[in-house]
Amino acid sequence: MTLNREWHRTHRMPPRATREQRIKWHVAHAAACACRPVPDSIKVDVEKLRKLGRRK
């Protein structure tokens, strides 16, 4: 897996992120970096949002 250091440096997860913030962050993360998988706890929601983004 490849870490996109620049993306991580400029896109920090907010402290005490809400579920919605975490989902949005992981959607962007999945598109920019392949350093780790999406956590199981939000995987379904992330996939839904990614699919909606592809339809636009």
Side-chain angles (χ1 to χ4, degrees):
M1 299 206 165
T2 305
L3 175 68
N4 183 337
R5 290 184 193 279
E6 182 62 25
W7 187 90
H8 276 274
R9 188 178 66 74
T10 58
H11 296 86
R12 295 280 195 196
M13 174 80 73
R16 297 185 181 173
T18 65
R19 181 175 177 82
E20 184 176 327
Q21 288 173 313
R22 289 180 63 223
I23 291 167
K24 287 180 181 179
W25 187 92
H26 278 284
V27 168
H29 180 256
C33 187
C35 68
R36 62 180 174 200
V38 175
D40 289 338
S41 62
I42 60 172
K43 188 177 234 168
V44 171
D45 294 321
V46 168
E47 290 303 319
K48 284 180 190 176
L49 195 55
R50 289 183 74 195
K51 286 178 185 177
L52 286 175
R54 287 186 212 142
R55 291 182 190 165
K56 294 179 182 178

